Amino acid sequence: MDRPAPFKINGDVIAPGTRRTVDIPVSTLSNHTPVNLSVHVIHGKRPGPVLFVSAAIHGDEVIGVEIMRRLLRATPLKSVAGTLLAVPIVNTFGFLNHSRYLPDRRDLNRCFPGLSGGSMASQLAHIFMTEVVQRADFGIDLHSAAIHRTNLPQIRLTPGNARLADLGQAFGAPVMMESRLREGSLRMAAEEAGVDVLLYEGGEGLRFDEFAARAGLNGILRVMHQLKMIGAKGVPRTRGVPVRASQSSWYRAPRGGLFRGYVAVGDAVQPGTVLGAIANAFGDVESEVVSDMGGIVIGRTNMPVVYEGDALFHVAETSRGEAAAEDISAHLDAAPLFDEDEII
Ligand SMILES: [Zn+2]
């Protein structure tokens, strides 16, 4: 088999069979501190696809950073075919500030593909596109819910993309949902550049969540195995059947007040299921939030103090709610420990 050519990035040359962290200059902070886009490159001895994995495009979505830390230590990555470009923290500014946004208050995931002479967000988007995305054949972008919200681990798919549907199935998250591409998102810019991207959602902003960390790590390893980048050894088998959903609804607060949730992410609901209730502080006024559909709770707020109109529950519509909930609990029960020191 032919040995692959060295991988070139940012003027660095990475030999086949080696790995290195490359710091790509982005900007300088007002106090003279340099800001880099740091990319860990694992360039395999054997030829294969180039896969990028990115996290913290939203700076407070730290679960993806933890997934990446585990991924880079994972044993199957000791022998890789092709090249992995791992970017644990895309939005360094937001990560340092525990914020979803950039210091200029822009959302990086609405600024793709970016411009070299644009706003700070636009410049960062441009560097990420040209140095990482456009060098890859395929990508996985890791996200979580915003702060005070949690998401059931789920894959978001571009509608009508059969290759992504296959790789999403291989990822093996409990839920797969089609969601349209948003203008300015990494997913849309990458698709336009011919690079398919799977989006993983799991857990809560600024929090670690063991189930979401394991589901994300296991999913990336399964996709790498499906792409023949790594062997089967050390890659956990898929548990349960991913629940496919093409529609979902948000249930919003009918009034402001104190919110109690009665269902958790992964629970099955039926038309008429009471999802939660909102009361005033005196306890003499109470409103229930009732599901009008059958499905699975894929996201909810963790904030007990709500305004009228706040999003409380995200429910994916599926006709096989109870069976799907059993599949999801199979994921939970069976999530194997990756290695002993990962127990939290
Ligand atoms: Zn996000």
Side-chain angles (χ1 to χ4, degrees), residues 178-241:
E178 290 193 345
S179 74
R180 62 185 175 79
L181 295 169
R182 291 184 84 130
E183 194 66 44
S185 67
L186 166 65
R187 246 183 352 137
M188 179 178 255
E191 289 283 324
E192 282 173 0
V195 183
D196 285 337
V197 175
L198 273 185
L199 189 141
Y200 172 73
E201 276 279 357
E204 179 177 349
L206 292 180
R207 294 282 181 273
F208 280 177
D209 173 321
E210 188 56 22
F211 181 39
R214 287 186 200 168
L217 171 65
N218 295 346
I220 297 167
L221 292 174
R222 290 181 194 126
V223 168
M224 290 184 75
H225 177 54
Q226 177 91 351
L227 293 170
K228 300 191 166 50
M229 296 178 75
I230 55 175
K233 196 162 181 276
V235 178
R237 264 177 303 185
T238 315
R239 308 283 174 163
V241 182

Tab-separated table of all heavy atoms in Angstrom, residues 178-241:
chain	number	residue	atom	x	y	z
A	178	GLU	N	-33.861	15.053	11.387
A	178	GLU	CA	-33.518	15.911	10.255
A	178	GLU	C	-33.724	17.360	10.680
A	178	GLU	O	-34.699	17.674	11.351
A	178	GLU	CB	-34.421	15.591	9.065
A	178	GLU	CG	-34.093	14.241	8.472
A	178	GLU	CD	-34.747	14.018	7.125
A	178	GLU	OE1	-35.677	14.777	6.781
A	178	GLU	OE2	-34.324	13.081	6.432
A	179	SER	N	-32.765	18.236	10.337
A	179	SER	CA	-32.988	19.656	10.602
A	179	SER	C	-32.374	20.452	9.465
A	179	SER	O	-31.271	20.142	9.000
A	179	SER	CB	-32.399	20.062	11.961
A	179	SER	OG	-31.010	20.133	11.910
A	180	ARG	N	-33.121	21.443	9.009
A	180	ARG	CA	-32.701	22.185	7.818
A	180	ARG	C	-31.435	22.989	8.130
A	180	ARG	O	-31.147	23.307	9.278
A	180	ARG	CB	-33.836	23.085	7.329
A	180	ARG	CG	-34.243	24.109	8.317
A	180	ARG	CD	-35.453	24.920	7.859
A	180	ARG	NE	-35.865	25.815	8.933
A	180	ARG	CZ	-35.267	26.953	9.218
A	180	ARG	NH1	-34.243	27.362	8.512
A	180	ARG	NH2	-35.674	27.692	10.236
A	181	LEU	N	-30.707	23.311	7.067
A	181	LEU	CA	-29.473	24.084	7.214
A	181	LEU	C	-29.820	25.542	7.478
A	181	LEU	O	-30.709	26.100	6.855
A	181	LEU	CB	-28.646	23.970	5.931
A	181	LEU	CG	-28.119	22.564	5.605
A	181	LEU	CD1	-27.551	22.525	4.200
A	181	LEU	CD2	-27.068	22.152	6.624
A	182	ARG	N	-29.075	26.156	8.411
A	182	ARG	CA	-29.294	27.578	8.721
A	182	ARG	C	-28.271	28.423	7.990
A	182	ARG	O	-27.096	28.076	7.948
A	182	ARG	CB	-29.135	27.826	10.219
A	182	ARG	CG	-30.221	27.216	11.039
A	182	ARG	CD	-30.019	27.616	12.478
A	182	ARG	NE	-30.598	28.925	12.706
A	182	ARG	CZ	-31.432	29.195	13.705
A	182	ARG	NH1	-31.741	28.256	14.569
A	182	ARG	NH2	-31.915	30.403	13.871
A	183	GLU	N	-28.736	29.538	7.488
A	183	GLU	CA	-27.856	30.499	6.818
A	183	GLU	C	-26.719	30.896	7.767
A	183	GLU	O	-26.961	31.202	8.936
A	183	GLU	CB	-28.694	31.733	6.451
A	183	GLU	CG	-28.064	32.680	5.473
A	183	GLU	CD	-27.896	32.069	4.081
A	183	GLU	OE1	-28.821	31.405	3.580
A	183	GLU	OE2	-26.815	32.273	3.527
A	184	GLY	N	-25.481	30.863	7.272
A	184	GLY	CA	-24.342	31.300	8.098
A	184	GLY	C	-23.781	30.228	8.998
A	184	GLY	O	-22.796	30.461	9.697
A	185	SER	N	-24.412	29.026	9.024
A	185	SER	CA	-23.918	27.973	9.919
A	185	SER	C	-22.731	27.255	9.284
A	185	SER	O	-22.572	27.243	8.055
A	185	SER	CB	-25.026	26.964	10.225
A	185	SER	OG	-25.366	26.250	9.057
A	186	LEU	N	-21.915	26.652	10.131
A	186	LEU	CA	-20.805	25.839	9.634
A	186	LEU	C	-21.342	24.750	8.704
A	186	LEU	O	-20.770	24.470	7.652
A	186	LEU	CB	-20.062	25.200	10.817
A	186	LEU	CG	-19.100	24.069	10.432
A	186	LEU	CD1	-17.954	24.595	9.583
A	186	LEU	CD2	-18.578	23.365	11.668
A	187	ARG	N	-22.463	24.137	9.117
A	187	ARG	CA	-23.000	23.024	8.330
A	187	ARG	C	-23.324	23.450	6.910
A	187	ARG	O	-23.012	22.770	5.950
A	187	ARG	CB	-24.272	22.498	9.000
A	187	ARG	CG	-24.068	21.105	9.504
A	187	ARG	CD	-25.239	20.419	10.131
A	187	ARG	NE	-26.456	21.091	10.398
A	187	ARG	CZ	-27.644	20.564	10.156
A	187	ARG	NH1	-27.751	19.394	9.583
A	187	ARG	NH2	-28.739	21.209	10.489
A	188	MET	N	-23.970	24.639	6.781
A	188	MET	CA	-24.350	25.098	5.441
A	188	MET	C	-23.106	25.445	4.615
A	188	MET	O	-22.990	25.050	3.455
A	188	MET	CB	-25.283	26.306	5.521
A	188	MET	CG	-25.674	26.804	4.137
A	188	MET	SD	-26.814	28.183	4.203
A	188	MET	CE	-28.321	27.379	3.734
A	189	ALA	N	-22.153	26.158	5.219
A	189	ALA	CA	-20.948	26.563	4.482
A	189	ALA	C	-20.150	25.326	4.069
A	189	ALA	O	-19.610	25.261	2.961
A	189	ALA	CB	-20.094	27.486	5.349
A	190	ALA	N	-20.078	24.334	4.958
A	190	ALA	CA	-19.326	23.117	4.649
A	190	ALA	C	-20.011	22.354	3.518
A	190	ALA	O	-19.353	21.886	2.594
A	190	ALA	CB	-19.190	22.250	5.895
A	191	GLU	N	-21.341	22.237	3.591
A	191	GLU	CA	-22.083	21.538	2.522
A	191	GLU	C	-21.825	22.222	1.186
A	191	GLU	O	-21.635	21.555	0.173
A	191	GLU	CB	-23.593	21.541	2.818
A	191	GLU	CG	-24.009	20.637	3.960
A	191	GLU	CD	-24.055	19.162	3.606
A	191	GLU	OE1	-24.431	18.831	2.471
A	191	GLU	OE2	-23.677	18.345	4.462
A	192	GLU	N	-21.825	23.571	1.197
A	192	GLU	CA	-21.591	24.308	-0.047
A	192	GLU	C	-20.174	24.077	-0.569
A	192	GLU	O	-19.927	24.161	-1.766
A	192	GLU	CB	-21.889	25.797	0.147
A	192	GLU	CG	-23.393	26.044	0.131
A	192	GLU	CD	-23.798	27.466	0.479
A	192	GLU	OE1	-22.910	28.298	0.748
A	192	GLU	OE2	-25.025	27.722	0.483
A	193	ALA	N	-19.244	23.789	0.359
A	193	ALA	CA	-17.862	23.481	-0.048
A	193	ALA	C	-17.696	21.987	-0.346
A	193	ALA	O	-16.577	21.522	-0.572
A	193	ALA	CB	-16.898	23.923	1.054
A	194	GLY	N	-18.786	21.230	-0.298
A	194	GLY	CA	-18.739	19.805	-0.632
A	194	GLY	C	-18.288	18.912	0.510
A	194	GLY	O	-17.871	17.774	0.290
A	195	VAL	N	-18.371	19.406	1.754
A	195	VAL	CA	-17.949	18.622	2.920
A	195	VAL	C	-19.185	18.337	3.784
A	195	VAL	O	-19.772	19.257	4.358
A	195	VAL	CB	-16.883	19.387	3.753
A	195	VAL	CG1	-16.402	18.547	4.922
A	195	VAL	CG2	-15.713	19.814	2.877
A	196	ASP	N	-19.574	17.068	3.864
A	196	ASP	CA	-20.736	16.687	4.683
A	196	ASP	C	-20.379	16.780	6.159
A	196	ASP	O	-19.292	16.351	6.567
A	196	ASP	CB	-21.157	15.249	4.375
A	196	ASP	CG	-21.875	15.131	3.032
A	196	ASP	OD1	-22.423	16.145	2.568
A	196	ASP	OD2	-21.877	14.024	2.470
A	197	VAL	N	-21.306	17.306	6.954
A	197	VAL	CA	-21.058	17.466	8.395
A	197	VAL	C	-22.216	16.862	9.179
A	197	VAL	O	-23.374	17.197	8.944
A	197	VAL	CB	-20.898	18.957	8.770
A	197	VAL	CG1	-20.759	19.125	10.275
A	197	VAL	CG2	-19.689	19.566	8.071
A	198	LEU	N	-21.878	15.979	10.121
A	198	LEU	CA	-22.850	15.480	11.093
A	198	LEU	C	-22.804	16.405	12.294
A	198	LEU	O	-21.713	16.724	12.776
A	198	LEU	CB	-22.460	14.105	11.611
A	198	LEU	CG	-22.870	12.826	10.897
A	198	LEU	CD1	-22.417	11.638	11.740
A	198	LEU	CD2	-24.359	12.765	10.639
A	199	LEU	N	-23.970	16.813	12.783
A	199	LEU	CA	-23.994	17.653	13.976
A	199	LEU	C	-24.464	16.813	15.155
A	199	LEU	O	-25.509	16.165	15.066
A	199	LEU	CB	-24.917	18.848	13.749
A	199	LEU	CG	-24.846	19.907	14.843
A	199	LEU	CD1	-24.917	21.292	14.221
A	199	LEU	CD2	-25.961	19.748	15.854
A	200	TYR	N	-23.656	16.799	16.214
A	200	TYR	CA	-24.029	16.071	17.435
A	200	TYR	C	-24.446	17.078	18.494
A	200	TYR	O	-23.758	18.067	18.716
A	200	TYR	CB	-22.836	15.255	17.948
A	200	TYR	CG	-23.065	14.618	19.296
A	200	TYR	CD1	-23.910	13.520	19.430
A	200	TYR	CD2	-22.452	15.108	20.443
A	200	TYR	CE1	-24.132	12.930	20.671
A	200	TYR	CE2	-22.660	14.525	21.680
A	200	TYR	CZ	-23.505	13.434	21.792
A	200	TYR	OH	-23.719	12.853	23.024
A	201	GLU	N	-25.571	16.817	19.128
A	201	GLU	CA	-26.086	17.637	20.230
A	201	GLU	C	-26.211	16.758	21.450
A	201	GLU	O	-26.780	15.662	21.351
A	201	GLU	CB	-27.504	18.125	19.898
A	201	GLU	CG	-27.619	19.361	19.060
A	201	GLU	CD	-27.438	20.637	19.860
A	201	GLU	OE1	-27.281	20.562	21.107
A	201	GLU	OE2	-27.431	21.701	19.234
A	202	GLY	N	-25.719	17.204	22.595
A	202	GLY	CA	-25.920	16.419	23.803
A	202	GLY	C	-25.508	17.197	25.031
A	202	GLY	O	-24.505	17.914	25.006
A	203	GLY	N	-26.297	17.076	26.116
A	203	GLY	CA	-25.934	17.684	27.392
A	203	GLY	C	-26.295	19.160	27.474
A	203	GLY	O	-27.080	19.675	26.681
A	204	GLU	N	-25.685	19.830	28.456
A	204	GLU	CA	-26.044	21.194	28.849
A	204	GLU	C	-24.851	22.122	28.696
A	204	GLU	O	-23.705	21.684	28.847
A	204	GLU	CB	-26.494	21.146	30.331
A	204	GLU	CG	-26.877	22.484	30.929
A	204	GLU	CD	-27.392	22.354	32.370
A	204	GLU	OE1	-27.639	21.226	32.827
A	204	GLU	OE2	-27.534	23.403	33.025
A	205	GLY	N	-25.095	23.394	28.409
A	205	GLY	CA	-24.030	24.380	28.353
A	205	GLY	C	-23.331	24.490	29.707
A	205	GLY	O	-23.981	24.395	30.753
A	206	LEU	N	-22.002	24.661	29.690
A	206	LEU	CA	-21.182	24.839	30.899
A	206	LEU	C	-21.297	23.718	31.929
A	206	LEU	O	-21.039	23.926	33.113
A	206	LEU	CB	-21.484	26.191	31.586
A	206	LEU	CG	-21.045	27.443	30.815
A	206	LEU	CD1	-21.396	28.707	31.596
A	206	LEU	CD2	-19.541	27.424	30.527
A	207	ARG	N	-21.721	22.531	31.478
A	207	ARG	CA	-21.792	21.380	32.387
A	207	ARG	C	-21.264	20.146	31.679
A	207	ARG	O	-21.398	20.029	30.468
A	207	ARG	CB	-23.249	21.083	32.798
A	207	ARG	CG	-23.891	22.156	33.629
A	207	ARG	CD	-23.437	22.090	35.084
A	207	ARG	NE	-24.073	23.103	35.892
A	207	ARG	CZ	-23.622	24.354	36.043
A	207	ARG	NH1	-22.531	24.742	35.416
A	207	ARG	NH2	-24.250	25.213	36.801
A	208	PHE	N	-20.692	19.223	32.455
A	208	PHE	CA	-20.374	17.904	31.924
A	208	PHE	C	-21.567	16.985	32.172
A	208	PHE	O	-22.297	17.157	33.147
A	208	PHE	CB	-19.131	17.329	32.613
A	208	PHE	CG	-17.840	17.884	32.074
A	208	PHE	CD1	-16.634	17.515	32.638
A	208	PHE	CD2	-17.826	18.761	30.998
A	208	PHE	CE1	-15.433	18.003	32.157
A	208	PHE	CE2	-16.638	19.260	30.499
A	208	PHE	CZ	-15.435	18.882	31.085
A	209	ASP	N	-21.736	16.038	31.284
A	209	ASP	CA	-22.856	15.103	31.352
A	209	ASP	C	-22.279	13.770	30.861
A	209	ASP	O	-21.891	13.646	29.704
A	209	ASP	CB	-23.962	15.633	30.425
A	209	ASP	CG	-25.134	14.675	30.245
A	209	ASP	OD1	-24.908	13.453	30.143
A	209	ASP	OD2	-26.265	15.156	30.179
A	210	GLU	N	-22.180	12.799	31.772
A	210	GLU	CA	-21.464	11.563	31.453
A	210	GLU	C	-22.099	10.816	30.284
A	210	GLU	O	-21.409	10.298	29.412
A	210	GLU	CB	-21.401	10.681	32.707
A	210	GLU	CG	-20.517	9.462	32.573
A	210	GLU	CD	-19.062	9.778	32.180
A	210	GLU	OE1	-18.596	10.912	32.387
A	210	GLU	OE2	-18.405	8.861	31.652
A	211	PHE	N	-23.429	10.760	30.264
A	211	PHE	CA	-24.114	10.043	29.182
A	211	PHE	C	-23.820	10.715	27.842
A	211	PHE	O	-23.495	10.047	26.845
A	211	PHE	CB	-25.619	10.015	29.473
A	211	PHE	CG	-26.449	9.284	28.464
A	211	PHE	CD1	-25.994	8.102	27.872
A	211	PHE	CD2	-27.703	9.757	28.115
A	211	PHE	CE1	-26.768	7.423	26.939
A	211	PHE	CE2	-28.484	9.091	27.188
A	211	PHE	CZ	-28.020	7.914	26.592
A	212	ALA	N	-23.904	12.052	27.818
A	212	ALA	CA	-23.664	12.788	26.567
A	212	ALA	C	-22.194	12.666	26.153
A	212	ALA	O	-21.880	12.590	24.962
A	212	ALA	CB	-24.052	14.251	26.725
A	213	ALA	N	-21.272	12.632	27.123
A	213	ALA	CA	-19.845	12.496	26.795
A	213	ALA	C	-19.584	11.133	26.165
A	213	ALA	O	-18.905	11.024	25.142
A	213	ALA	CB	-18.995	12.674	28.051
A	214	ARG	N	-20.150	10.081	26.768
A	214	ARG	CA	-19.914	8.728	26.236
A	214	ARG	C	-20.594	8.537	24.891
A	214	ARG	O	-20.031	7.927	23.980
A	214	ARG	CB	-20.428	7.679	27.209
A	214	ARG	CG	-19.553	7.559	28.409
A	214	ARG	CD	-20.029	6.416	29.271
A	214	ARG	NE	-19.529	6.577	30.615
A	214	ARG	CZ	-19.958	5.880	31.642
A	214	ARG	NH1	-20.903	4.981	31.486
A	214	ARG	NH2	-19.442	6.083	32.824
A	215	ALA	N	-21.823	9.046	24.770
A	215	ALA	CA	-22.536	8.881	23.495
A	215	ALA	C	-21.775	9.593	22.376
A	215	ALA	O	-21.692	9.092	21.247
A	215	ALA	CB	-23.964	9.428	23.612
A	216	GLY	N	-21.199	10.753	22.684
A	216	GLY	CA	-20.442	11.502	21.678
A	216	GLY	C	-19.151	10.796	21.303
A	216	GLY	O	-18.839	10.608	20.121
A	217	LEU	N	-18.399	10.372	22.319
A	217	LEU	CA	-17.129	9.681	22.055
A	217	LEU	C	-17.368	8.385	21.267
A	217	LEU	O	-16.730	8.125	20.244
A	217	LEU	CB	-16.434	9.351	23.384
A	217	LEU	CG	-15.216	8.443	23.248
A	217	LEU	CD1	-14.110	9.122	22.462
A	217	LEU	CD2	-14.708	8.017	24.620
A	218	ASN	N	-18.319	7.572	21.751
A	218	ASN	CA	-18.586	6.292	21.086
A	218	ASN	C	-19.038	6.511	19.650
A	218	ASN	O	-18.656	5.765	18.743
A	218	ASN	CB	-19.652	5.500	21.853
A	218	ASN	CG	-19.165	5.092	23.236
A	218	ASN	OD1	-17.971	5.165	23.518
A	218	ASN	ND2	-20.078	4.683	24.097
A	219	GLY	N	-19.856	7.551	19.446
A	219	GLY	CA	-20.354	7.842	18.105
A	219	GLY	C	-19.230	8.201	17.142
A	219	GLY	O	-19.195	7.726	16.008
A	220	ILE	N	-18.291	9.034	17.598
A	220	ILE	CA	-17.173	9.424	16.718
A	220	ILE	C	-16.336	8.190	16.364
A	220	ILE	O	-15.965	7.987	15.210
A	220	ILE	CB	-16.292	10.505	17.393
A	220	ILE	CG1	-17.097	11.778	17.623
A	220	ILE	CG2	-15.068	10.817	16.520
A	220	ILE	CD1	-16.417	12.766	18.559
A	221	LEU	N	-16.073	7.343	17.367
A	221	LEU	CA	-15.291	6.128	17.092
A	221	LEU	C	-16.019	5.230	16.096
A	221	LEU	O	-15.405	4.660	15.190
A	221	LEU	CB	-15.016	5.372	18.396
A	221	LEU	CG	-14.059	6.067	19.379
A	221	LEU	CD1	-13.991	5.297	20.691
A	221	LEU	CD2	-12.658	6.222	18.780
A	222	ARG	N	-17.350	5.115	16.247
A	222	ARG	CA	-18.113	4.258	15.313
A	222	ARG	C	-18.067	4.821	13.897
A	222	ARG	O	-17.958	4.067	12.928
A	222	ARG	CB	-19.567	4.142	15.777
A	222	ARG	CG	-19.728	3.315	17.036
A	222	ARG	CD	-21.208	3.220	17.419
A	222	ARG	NE	-21.364	2.731	18.763
A	222	ARG	CZ	-22.063	3.350	19.714
A	222	ARG	NH1	-22.674	4.499	19.463
A	222	ARG	NH2	-22.147	2.825	20.913
A	223	VAL	N	-18.164	6.155	13.774
A	223	VAL	CA	-18.091	6.765	12.439
A	223	VAL	C	-16.703	6.555	11.846
A	223	VAL	O	-16.564	6.229	10.660
A	223	VAL	CB	-18.459	8.263	12.504
A	223	VAL	CG1	-18.109	8.977	11.198
A	223	VAL	CG2	-19.948	8.428	12.804
A	224	MET	N	-15.651	6.711	12.669
A	224	MET	CA	-14.281	6.488	12.161
A	224	MET	C	-14.110	5.043	11.703
A	224	MET	O	-13.447	4.766	10.707
A	224	MET	CB	-13.247	6.849	13.235
A	224	MET	CG	-13.173	8.351	13.492
A	224	MET	SD	-11.878	8.795	14.671
A	224	MET	CE	-10.416	8.616	13.649
A	225	HIS	N	-14.736	4.131	12.426
A	225	HIS	CA	-14.680	2.720	12.022
A	225	HIS	C	-15.442	2.517	10.709
A	225	HIS	O	-14.959	1.836	9.795
A	225	HIS	CB	-15.253	1.844	13.131
A	225	HIS	CG	-15.301	0.397	12.766
A	225	HIS	ND1	-14.195	-0.302	12.331
A	225	HIS	CD2	-16.327	-0.489	12.735
A	225	HIS	CE1	-14.536	-1.537	12.061
A	225	HIS	NE2	-15.823	-1.681	12.286
A	226	GLN	N	-16.611	3.120	10.605
A	226	GLN	CA	-17.418	3.016	9.369
A	226	GLN	C	-16.645	3.563	8.163
A	226	GLN	O	-16.749	3.035	7.063
A	226	GLN	CB	-18.722	3.811	9.569
A	226	GLN	CG	-19.637	3.870	8.361
A	226	GLN	CD	-20.650	2.733	8.369
A	226	GLN	OE1	-20.546	1.822	9.179
A	226	GLN	NE2	-21.602	2.785	7.467
A	227	LEU	N	-15.854	4.630	8.398
A	227	LEU	CA	-15.050	5.225	7.316
A	227	LEU	C	-13.737	4.460	7.097
A	227	LEU	O	-12.891	4.896	6.321
A	227	LEU	CB	-14.727	6.695	7.653
A	227	LEU	CG	-15.912	7.676	7.678
A	227	LEU	CD1	-15.483	9.024	8.273
A	227	LEU	CD2	-16.478	7.887	6.282
A	228	LYS	N	-13.576	3.350	7.841
A	228	LYS	CA	-12.377	2.490	7.755
A	228	LYS	C	-11.106	3.231	8.182
A	228	LYS	O	-10.002	2.931	7.713
A	228	LYS	CB	-12.218	1.899	6.353
A	228	LYS	CG	-13.403	1.046	5.925
A	228	LYS	CD	-13.092	0.278	4.661
A	228	LYS	CE	-14.079	-0.830	4.350
A	228	LYS	NZ	-15.487	-0.480	4.380
A	229	MET	N	-11.262	4.225	9.069
A	229	MET	CA	-10.087	4.934	9.586
A	229	MET	C	-9.464	4.190	10.762
A	229	MET	O	-8.273	4.343	11.045
A	229	MET	CB	-10.468	6.356	10.024
A	229	MET	CG	-10.941	7.236	8.867
A	229	MET	SD	-11.438	8.879	9.409
A	229	MET	CE	-9.839	9.650	9.727
A	230	ILE	N	-10.292	3.421	11.498
A	230	ILE	CA	-9.790	2.629	12.631
A	230	ILE	C	-10.429	1.240	12.570
A	230	ILE	O	-11.482	1.059	11.940
A	230	ILE	CB	-10.109	3.291	14.005
A	230	ILE	CG1	-11.613	3.566	14.152
A	230	ILE	CG2	-9.314	4.566	14.195
A	230	ILE	CD1	-12.022	4.099	15.522
A	231	GLY	N	-9.795	0.277	13.251
A	231	GLY	CA	-10.337	-1.079	13.302
A	231	GLY	C	-11.494	-1.173	14.287
A	231	GLY	O	-11.897	-0.180	14.896
A	232	ALA	N	-12.014	-2.395	14.472
A	232	ALA	CA	-13.182	-2.594	15.342
A	232	ALA	C	-12.784	-2.649	16.820
A	232	ALA	O	-13.612	-2.409	17.703
A	232	ALA	CB	-13.892	-3.884	14.937
A	233	LYS	N	-11.510	-2.952	17.092
A	233	LYS	CA	-11.079	-3.136	18.491
A	233	LYS	C	-11.199	-1.817	19.269
A	233	LYS	O	-10.707	-0.789	18.807
A	233	LYS	CB	-9.629	-3.621	18.497
A	233	LYS	CG	-9.194	-4.211	19.799
A	233	LYS	CD	-7.934	-5.047	19.615
A	233	LYS	CE	-7.499	-5.658	20.922
A	233	LYS	NZ	-6.709	-4.807	21.750
A	234	GLY	N	-11.891	-1.882	20.394
A	234	GLY	CA	-12.042	-0.688	21.224
A	234	GLY	C	-13.168	0.230	20.789
A	234	GLY	O	-13.376	1.286	21.381
A	235	VAL	N	-13.914	-0.170	19.747
A	235	VAL	CA	-15.059	0.639	19.300
A	235	VAL	C	-16.334	0.005	19.851
A	235	VAL	O	-16.671	-1.118	19.471
A	235	VAL	CB	-15.121	0.714	17.756
A	235	VAL	CG1	-16.338	1.519	17.309
A	235	VAL	CG2	-13.833	1.308	17.196
A	236	PRO	N	-17.035	0.698	20.760
A	236	PRO	CA	-18.223	0.092	21.368
A	236	PRO	C	-19.320	-0.154	20.332
A	236	PRO	O	-19.524	0.670	19.445
A	236	PRO	CB	-18.687	1.146	22.386
A	236	PRO	CG	-17.536	2.060	22.552
A	236	PRO	CD	-16.772	2.039	21.276
A	237	ARG	N	-19.991	-1.294	20.476
A	237	ARG	CA	-21.089	-1.597	19.551
A	237	ARG	C	-22.293	-0.697	19.822
A	237	ARG	O	-22.493	-0.246	20.956
A	237	ARG	CB	-21.514	-3.058	19.698
A	237	ARG	CG	-20.829	-3.945	18.660
A	237	ARG	CD	-21.211	-5.365	18.879
A	237	ARG	NE	-20.859	-5.752	20.243
A	237	ARG	CZ	-20.979	-6.970	20.732
A	237	ARG	NH1	-21.456	-7.925	19.998
A	237	ARG	NH2	-20.627	-7.245	21.973
A	238	THR	N	-23.097	-0.463	18.787
A	238	THR	CA	-24.304	0.351	18.938
A	238	THR	C	-25.299	-0.385	19.843
A	238	THR	O	-25.453	-1.591	19.718
A	238	THR	CB	-24.966	0.575	17.562
A	238	THR	OG1	-23.953	0.914	16.636
A	238	THR	CG2	-25.987	1.684	17.612
A	239	ARG	N	-25.933	0.356	20.740
A	239	ARG	CA	-26.956	-0.223	21.623
A	239	ARG	C	-28.297	0.379	21.257
A	239	ARG	O	-28.402	1.580	21.074
A	239	ARG	CB	-26.669	0.104	23.090
A	239	ARG	CG	-25.281	-0.247	23.532
A	239	ARG	CD	-25.167	-1.736	23.768
A	239	ARG	NE	-23.792	-2.098	24.059
A	239	ARG	CZ	-23.427	-3.250	24.610
A	239	ARG	NH1	-24.325	-4.139	24.933
A	239	ARG	NH2	-22.163	-3.515	24.830
A	240	GLY	N	-29.297	-0.450	21.181
A	240	GLY	CA	-30.630	0.052	20.843
A	240	GLY	C	-30.654	0.546	19.404
A	240	GLY	O	-29.661	0.501	18.695
A	241	VAL	N	-31.807	0.982	18.983
A	241	VAL	CA	-31.990	1.475	17.613
A	241	VAL	C	-32.175	2.980	17.685
A	241	VAL	O	-33.015	3.445	18.449
A	241	VAL	CB	-33.258	0.837	16.976
A	241	VAL	CG1	-33.432	1.293	15.539
A	241	VAL	CG2	-33.189	-0.671	17.070
